[in-house]
Amino acid sequence: MEMSGEYKIEAPRNKVWAALNDPQVLKQSIPGCEEIEQTSDTSFTAQVTAKVGPVKAKFSGAVELTDIDAPNGYRISGEGKGGAAGFAKGGANVKLEEDGSGTLLKYEVDAQVGGKLAQLGARLIDGTAKKMASQFFENFAEAVAESDGKETAAPEAEAAPAAGSDTTPLAQVSIGTWVVGAIIALGIIYTLVK
Amino acid sequence: MTDTGIGASVKRVEDQRFLTGNGNYTDDINRPDQSHAWILRSPHAHATLKSVDTSKAEAAEGVIAVLTGADMAADGVGGLPCGWQIHNKDGSPMLEPGHPPLAVDKVRYVGDQVAIVIAETRDAARDGAELIEVDYGVLDAVIDMDGALAGGSLVHDNVPNNRCFDWELGDKNGVDEAFSKADHVVSIDLVNNRLIPNAMEPRAAISEFDRSTGQYTLYTTTQNPHVIRLLMGAFVLQIPEHKLRVIAPDVGGGFGSKIFHYAEEAILTWAAGKVHRPIKWTAERSESFATDAHGRDHETHAELALDKDGAFLGLRVATKANVGAYLSTFGSSVPTYLYATLLAGVYTTPVIYAEVQTVFTNTVPVDAYRGAGRPECTYLLERLVNKAARELGIDPVEIRKKNMIQADQYPYQTPVALQYDCGDIPASFESALKAADYTGFEKRRAASEKDGKLRGIGISTYVEACGIAPSAVAGALGARAGLYESAQVRVHPTGSVTVFTGTHNHGQGHETTFAQLVSESFGIPIEHVEISHGDTDQVQFGMGTYGSRSLAVGGPAILNACNKVIDKAKKIAAHIMEADVSDIEFADGKFTVAGTDKEMAFGEISLAAYVPHNYPIEEIEPGLDENAFYDPLNFSFPGGAHICEVEVDPDTGTTEIVGFTAVDDVGRVVNPMIVAGQVHGGLAQGVGQAILEGCVYDDDGQLLTGSYMDYTMPRADNLPSFSVATQSVMGASNPLEVKGVGEVGAIGSPPAVVNAILDALAPLGVEDISMPTTSQKVWQAIQDSNVRQAAE
């Protein structure tokens, strides 16, 4: 599956970048994200619970960062294991561009799913992933606006829960985690709904 | 005479329980202290198993045991065997790589078994499976046959080029010579689309081990319980027959896919001996899609040599057949002896040469599916003959008639091993043309045209070999088993009868048809007859149900056992009525002394046999219970003509089948209603293959058509009201003169449908289309043709 898109965020790039550095913002933005944990300088895990109607599923993803070019972009790749449901792996190229007073976030995703995820969800992944993407950006834009308002308050304090959570890579990784996670989540959803 | 004998459309006695929800399927059965299994399957098409860590799963709540391929190997469990050995052109045997029930070093298709989790509940087993940590070393998958044959990644390290065997049949030099003299050569390239069987009941099994007796019992959804006992007991688990009982209770459809010995049967039986608890497993629908053996999947190039008048001079066929990742039970015989031996079809083609390569790929094994080899053969012949008619400018009816075997040519020896014993395809063909109003077609085409529709008519004339099989012939061709059938006819003291048959009823109506045989033979109503099947502890032996063999091979066994009963009963009657045995006559359920008014009813004799107060005890034993084994002298050869009429909407590509006529020669008809039902079902499956069904794997070996969202089954609104009839020639090589009907519909129909669609599209210049001929494909063919014609 391949998916690309862009999303305009009404905040300057440095604000967007700051928000991307804020794990609270990301946790708020990624639908169903419960946990983000750094396992090394360039690798992370995330746990995401996806819920659709009566169906709820938890999955974990491991993500690696390459080609870091802060604050312009990076290549992020990962693999998520859904147990008996199969696997999802893939990568995303993410770019931040200045666009007038706002910021344009561009992404290109390539992903591969296997096992039951492919068997039951393959042809529906595109539509569902797009829907989840718009949900993410909606949440994210809202969170950016909020953090903008509280900027002078205590940005450091918000980052307290996770060690090193205010470092640049974490924020970038989390987006990739969401991408892989979204794929896994919808696969599991179709598995359970079938 | 009874009104429930041969020829009566008796309502199916088994339908009462099926239609009222009282069937007893494997999943309906629950054993005391039963546990539940979940099979962890590979999500990768091809990968090494670097490690399988079961520790977390074993510690999970409710989990009883987690077992892997390493555990099986440690117990010396064998691989799943293949039942038919094929030899290469050079005489060497086919390559048979190991097929461990649980993967040991490698997984070879998505769905391959990695571990079994046994738990108190199904949910606990499933949750436990989530905790197994498998480290896969992902390898490149080989999916398409050309890629596999080119080498690259090897499914089995010891099978170079992924080629299982390279086999041939026929006269290569003779065919070369025929082609050198031909006025015309017509060639065609065809794909016979891969199908997923989709029996209504998913596969299921319950295993148990009795510690007091050392006896194993397996309930399983199989078409042939004795074959499973033989294969699993002798080759996989080393359990002798007297310690292994296999029960196939009600089974909800098989279509071939439940013939084979599946890994889950062996895994569960073995595991029951380890955990000392009954274990139940029922496949989910998505497991059925991914792990039931698939059908068809051939790629063929064929050439037909003709003289200037359209007479066939020779046929040359090269086929690649996908066998999937492992050799399934009959995976090797389907694309060889069940396929190429029918290449004469209904025609007098004097020389034929076929070569078949079978190829391993990282897909689920491919094996017999309704028709098994014969639909592939019929599709090839009937598409090729139509193409020849078109290229030579001969009517498709005329080219067939010109080359067809005539009634007076039987028995007909084909150049590809088989000898057709009897038949008259020209007669069926004439009847079908008449029933379909072939001559009135142009009028109907013109009427459709006015409505903006393209109308087409397509013909398929076919013959198939079933009644599988004469054991000596099958053995000479590589079968590793006999293919006779057995029956036991037990007459009870008061004259009711239980018949034990080695065939298995999973939708065919045996409980009715077989009872009709007994009703006819003994002159008793079928309510007095019970048909018992499916339990190896009850039925002496059997080879099961497939290849339209149950009535053709199992029926004569029942008949012979009935005749043994009558012979013995006559001796009892002679003794009691004080007459000579040669003077005893038996008709309409009564034993009479010729020329007198003395008579005894069937029930009186049976009572005398069990209460032998006045009995010829010095001559014969008490009791009235006989068995018979019947091995056929030849295959049987049903055949006929199918004519399909379609309307295509050129704007959408949607095909509507507006008429379908089938005239089939199935030999003697025991129950006309059941025969019509079998033909209807077969036609539905044939139409499904032709226009709707197609299995798709992506390049990585992921199954993309793994649910009903992506795999289209035929529905009532895809089908017309069928016009079916039988027109039989008696003389089939068995005492009942029956030929078999289970597969004819699925064999004859696909080319009739596709030929009809191509006929409809012919005015637009479309010359080829592949199955399934979906609306999208038809539409695309029309567009491509428009572009091509615009360019010309």
Side-chain angles (χ1 to χ4, degrees):
Chain A
M1 166 227 161
E2 284 174 10
M3 179 171 79
S4 62
E6 54 184 45
Y7 197 87
K8 178 85 179 286
I9 297 166
E10 290 302 337
R13 181 159 68 166
N14 64 329
K15 297 280 184 198
V16 174
W17 193 250
L20 285 172
N21 283 328
D22 185 338
Q24 286 302 322
V25 171
L26 290 160
K27 216 169 141 181
Q28 255 175 278
S29 307
I30 298 167
C33 180
E34 288 175 356
E35 219 176 292
I36 296 172
E37 195 183 330
Q38 184 165 7
T39 50
S40 82
D41 281 354
T42 55
S43 64
F44 301 84
T45 60
Q47 288 217 332
V48 176
T49 295
K51 189 168 184 294
V52 172
V55 179
K56 201 170 167 185
K58 185 183 265 189
F59 52 90
S60 57
V63 176
E64 285 225 312
L65 253 194
T66 50
D67 305 336
I68 302 166
D69 178 24
N72 301 314
Y74 47 83
R75 162 82 185 170
I76 192 162
S77 53
E79 178 164 0
K81 284 180 183 169
F87 66 88
K89 58 184 178 182
N93 296 317
V94 180
K95 278 182 183 160
L96 289 182
E97 283 175 13
E98 287 182 345
D99 181 18
S101 61
T103 305
L104 203 57
L105 192 155
K106 291 183 170 177
Y107 59 91
E108 286 172 7
V109 180
D110 55 278
Q112 192 198 336
V113 291
K116 276 194 167 188
L117 297 180
Q119 190 181 344
L120 296 164
R123 76 168 179 163
L124 296 157
I125 275 172
D126 287 30
T128 311
K130 274 174 189 154
K131 192 179 166 196
M132 289 180 81
S134 68
Q135 198 183 336
F136 169 82
F137 288 119
E138 211 172 283
N139 295 343
F140 185 71
E142 221 170 83
V144 169
E146 262 178 47
S147 72
D148 201 25
K150 306 186 279 188
E151 196 179 15
T152 50
E156 293 304 310
E158 285 189 13
S165 59
D166 56 347
T167 60
T168 300
L170 174 59
Q172 294 170 325
V173 163
S174 300
I175 288 201
T177 305
W178 161 75
V179 168
V180 174
I183 293 160
I184 299 167
L186 62 93
I188 290 172
I189 288 156
Y190 289 115
T191 304
L192 296 176
V193 159
K194 70 184 182 319
Chain B
M1 272 297 283
T2 72
D3 54 4
T4 55
I6 290 175
S9 280
V10 178
K11 278 190 184 168
R12 303 193 343 153
V13 299
E14 49 269 76
D15 284 347
Q16 178 69 27
R17 72 174 189 278
F18 294 152
L19 295 175
T20 55
N22 288 303
N24 187 37
Y25 298 91
T26 298
D27 194 58
D28 294 324
I29 296 166
N30 290 295
R31 303 295 300 158
D33 205 27
Q34 173 179 288
S35 63
H36 298 264
W38 183 266
I39 307 279
L40 178 68
R41 301 184 180 280
S42 170
H44 298 285
H46 198 194
T48 56
L49 285 177
K50 291 199 278 191
S51 68
V52 181
D53 183 352
T54 60
S55 54
K56 282 183 194 161
E58 281 164 18
E61 197 184 334
V63 170
I64 297 162
V66 183
L67 301 166
T68 66
D71 298 317
M72 273 196 131
D75 281 3
V77 172
L80 304 179
C82 177
W84 204 299
Q85 187 181 48
I86 302 297
H87 288 83
N88 289 298
K89 287 174 181 169
D90 66 7
S92 60
M94 66 185 188
L95 296 173
E96 291 183 76
H99 187 178
L102 283 169
V104 179
D105 303 319
K106 254 172 110 174
V107 288
R108 294 185 170 87
Y109 63 96
V110 172
D112 207 352
Q113 297 79 213
V114 174
I116 178 172
V117 181
I118 300 153
E120 296 296 341
T121 65
R122 187 176 156 91
D123 285 349
R126 186 178 183 156
D127 288 347
E130 294 281 338
L131 300 173
I132 298 173
E133 289 173 6
V134 185
D135 191 3
Y136 294 101
V138 178
L139 303 168
D140 286 341
V142 284
I143 305 304
D144 75 290
M145 288 193 274
D146 285 331
L149 286 169
S153 200
L154 292 181
V155 179
H156 300 276
D157 293 341
N158 55 351
V159 181
N161 297 93
N162 296 304
R163 184 160 57 208
C164 176
F165 59 78
D166 182 11
W167 173 87
E168 65 182 346
L169 181 70
D171 179 0
K172 187 175 195 296
N173 294 333
V175 167
D176 288 346
E177 203 187 318
F179 273 77
S180 72
K181 292 175 184 162
D183 295 301
H184 303 281
V185 172
V186 177
S187 65
I188 198 164
D189 288 283
L190 295 171
V191 172
N192 205 282
N193 43 330
R194 185 175 177 122
L195 302 178
I196 301 177
N198 286 297
M200 197 183 292
E201 178 205 24
R203 290 190 293 118
I206 305 169
S207 63
E208 57 183 295
F209 176 67
D210 184 334
R211 273 194 285 176
S212 65
T213 62
Q215 173 109 12
Y216 290 86
T217 301
L218 175 69
Y219 298 82
T220 182
T221 49
T222 185
Q223 302 176 209
N224 29 243
H226 288 87
V227 174
I228 301 308
R229 186 181 66 169
L230 181 70
L231 293 175
M232 184 172 78
F235 296 97
V236 187
L237 300 179
Q238 285 83 46
I239 305 170
E241 285 94 331
H242 67 294
K243 292 293 184 191
L244 178 57
R245 178 182 186 185
V246 176
I247 301 169
D250 282 335
V251 172
F255 312 109
S257 73
K258 289 172 181 167
I259 297 170
F260 327 119
H261 176 32
Y262 282 96
E264 292 86 353
E265 295 169 325
I267 298 167
L268 255 75
T269 305
W270 163 75
K274 294 183 87 72
V275 301
H276 296 167
R277 295 269 300 271
I279 308 168
K280 177 188 252 187
W281 168 79
T282 302
E284 297 198 319
R285 180 56 63 184
S286 52
E287 282 180 291
S288 302
F289 272 98
T291 68
D292 289 1
H294 293 174
R296 317 283 191 254
D297 208 348
H298 283 196
E299 291 175 19
T300 295
H301 175 76
E303 296 170 330
L304 180 66
L306 302 98
D307 73 7
K308 60 182 179 0
D309 300 320
F312 302 164
L313 302 177
L315 174 66
R316 189 189 275 144
V317 174
T319 293
K320 286 174 290 201
N322 192 344
V323 290
Y326 300 97
L327 273 178
S328 175
T329 309
F330 287 115
S332 55
S333 61
V334 174
T336 51
Y337 290 108
L338 294 176
Y339 166 68
T341 52
L342 268 303
L343 282 170
V346 298
Y347 307 111
T348 55
T349 316
V351 280
I352 296 172
Y353 176 69
E355 46 192 345
V356 177
Q357 298 183 77
T358 48
V359 186
F360 287 112
T361 59
N362 292 113
T363 63
V364 73
V366 179
D367 208 323
Y369 173 66
R370 201 168 192 172
R374 291 149 289 164
E376 295 90 319
C377 173
T378 302
Y379 183 67
L380 154 65
L381 288 173
E382 295 305 289
R383 285 287 311 275
L384 183 56
V385 167
N386 252 43
K387 192 172 181 195
R390 187 164 171 166
E391 289 189 7
L392 271 63
I394 306 175
D395 185 90
V397 171
E398 294 315 310
I399 198 169
R400 284 179 170 82
K401 283 186 177 174
K402 186 179 190 65
N403 290 284
M404 212 169 255
I405 300 163
Q406 299 301 308
D408 61 6
Q409 289 178 279
Y410 292 91
Y412 183 83
Q413 178 61 52
T414 74
V416 273
L418 295 177
Q419 189 185 68
Y420 304 155
D421 52 5
C422 64
D424 187 354
I425 303 296
S428 310
F429 191 24
E430 280 300 339
S431 300
L433 289 168
K434 206 173 155 195
D437 186 22
Y438 189 81
T439 51
F441 172 73
E442 286 306 329
K443 250 188 211 167
R444 298 193 293 278
R445 192 203 290 266
S448 296
E449 214 171 302
K450 275 187 192 157
D451 295 339
K453 299 280 176 64
L454 300 166
R455 199 176 186 102
I457 193 162
I459 294 167
S460 164
T461 48
Y462 75 95
V463 63
E464 59 134 332
C466 60
I468 292 172
S471 295
V473 175
L477 301 179
R480 287 165 164 160
L483 285 159
Y484 49 83
E485 197 43 74
S486 91
Q488 181 173 10
V489 174
R490 179 176 299 166
V491 183
H492 301 293
T494 60
S496 66
V497 176
T498 302
V499 175
F500 299 90
T501 172
T503 64
H504 188 274
N505 179 27
H506 39 276
Q508 295 85 350
H510 295 172
E511 289 166 46
T512 309
T513 311
F514 291 0
Q516 286 181 253
L517 298 183
V518 177
S519 172
E520 175 86 17
S521 186
F522 292 160
I524 57 175
I526 64 164
E527 291 78 21
H528 293 187
V529 185
E530 190 73 22
I531 304 297
S532 177
H533 64 93
D535 183 346
T536 60
D537 267 12
Q538 286 189 7
V539 179
Q540 57 287 353
F541 201 73
M543 293 306 296
T545 286
Y546 41 83
S548 305
R549 70 187 303 277
S550 298
L551 190 58
V553 188
I558 294 171
L559 187 70
N560 289 352
C562 286
N563 287 336
K564 287 184 184 179
V565 166
I566 292 169
D567 286 348
K568 185 172 178 180
K570 279 183 175 174
K571 289 178 188 165
I572 300 168
H575 177 87
I576 296 172
M577 294 192 281
E578 297 174 333
D580 193 86
V581 170
S582 60
D583 290 331
I584 301 293
E585 290 170 352
F586 179 59
D588 301 336
K590 289 190 180 87
F591 293 88
T592 53
V593 180
T596 74
D597 60 356
K598 287 185 182 175
E599 66 170 48
M600 287 184 78
F602 184 74
E604 291 179 277
I605 299 295
S606 63
L607 191 65
Y610 287 93
V611 188
H613 294 167
N614 177 15
Y615 198 81
I617 201 74
E618 287 174 5
E619 264 182 75
I620 52 174
E621 298 166 2
L624 203 51
D625 189 352
E626 299 288 345
N627 69 48
F629 282 62
Y630 175 77
D631 203 326
L633 298 170
N634 193 354
F635 295 88
S636 58
F637 298 95
H642 291 183
I643 299 176
C644 177
E645 207 162 314
V646 299
E647 258 190 354
V648 176
D649 181 336
D651 296 329
T652 64
T654 304
T655 300
E656 187 188 349
I657 297 177
V658 292
F660 201 106
T661 304
V663 177
D664 299 298
D665 175 353
V666 299
R668 187 179 307 284
V669 173
V670 174
N671 185 317
M673 185 190 66
I674 289 179
V675 163
Q678 282 277 20
V679 174
H680 281 214
L683 294 178
Q685 273 173 302
V687 169
Q689 167 161 30
I691 66 173
L692 299 166
E693 299 182 50
C695 169
V696 180
Y697 282 94
D698 74 8
D699 292 342
D700 298 312
Q702 297 297 335
L703 178 62
L704 297 182
T705 50
S707 77
Y708 292 123
M709 289 189 293
D710 298 295
Y711 189 90
T712 318
M713 297 290 286
R715 303 178 191 204
D717 66 353
N718 299 121
L719 306 169
S721 183
F722 296 123
S723 158
V724 305
T726 58
Q727 180 171 337
S728 296
V729 174
M730 297 304 160
S733 310
N734 62 69
L736 281 170
E737 298 187 291
V738 298
K739 297 185 182 178
V741 69
E743 296 163 294
V744 295
I747 290 168
S749 57
V753 176
V754 177
N755 284 340
I757 291 170
L758 286 175
D759 184 51
L761 301 182
L764 304 180
V766 175
E767 292 179 356
D768 186 31
I769 196 160
S770 62
M771 300 189 292
T773 57
T774 58
S775 306
Q776 192 268 342
K777 221 184 261 179
V778 170
W779 185 86
Q780 193 62 53
I782 293 170
Q783 304 311 310
D784 291 349
S785 177
N786 289 343
V787 169
R788 202 167 50 238
Q789 287 182 333
E792 278 163 8

